[in-house]
Amino acid sequence: MLEVISRKKFVSQNRTVTIKKMKDITDIYASIIVEQKCGLSTKEYVLIYDYDKKKIVDGDLIAYGSWYHLDEEELIDWSQVAQNEKWFS
């Protein structure tokens, strides 16, 4: 069973970031939704942050009416953004 431990929402670098810290039976992780305005459309990134590994371990991009799974390089980039902007401190 999933339990929401905390929730926060903020604007960072023209992005709206919503972070839900979740807990299941064995792990604590964060579900992150990043909304980024691009011209007339909005890109939405759905990211999973692992507190033990201290990095984003999975993610998807929803944009232009389609869904895209993020590759390892993009996950590393988002982990760096989260670290630089202190999303988890």
Side-chain angles (χ1 to χ4, degrees):
M1 183 173 135
L2 291 175
E3 174 188 354
V4 177
I5 298 172
S6 66
R7 183 181 315 216
K8 68 180 176 178
K9 186 174 186 172
F10 56 92
V11 176
S12 175
Q13 300 290 328
N14 295 326
R15 296 184 289 257
T16 301
V17 180
T18 304
I19 299 176
K20 281 194 243 179
K21 188 174 181 181
M22 313 282 282
K23 178 181 179 182
D24 66 12
I25 294 172
T26 59
D27 296 318
I28 295 177
Y29 65 93
S31 171
I32 308 163
I33 298 175
V34 180
E35 294 176 279
Q36 189 171 22
K37 295 284 186 192
C38 300
L40 299 175
S41 65
T42 301
K43 290 182 180 178
E44 184 175 287
Y45 293 89
V46 180
L47 309 167
I48 303 297
Y49 180 84
D50 185 313
Y51 281 90
D52 291 333
K53 295 178 182 177
K54 297 192 182 324
K55 68 177 186 173
I56 293 172
V57 294
D58 199 8
D60 301 311
L61 166 63
I62 303 164
Y64 315 114
S66 296
W67 168 89
Y68 308 92
H69 191 73
L70 299 179
D71 63 25
E72 188 65 30
E73 191 173 302
E74 290 169 305
L75 296 176
I76 292 168
D77 291 344
W78 276 109
S79 291
Q80 192 66 40
V81 168
Q83 183 180 32
N84 290 346
E85 295 181 9
K86 300 180 183 350
W87 289 2
F88 298 99
S89 49

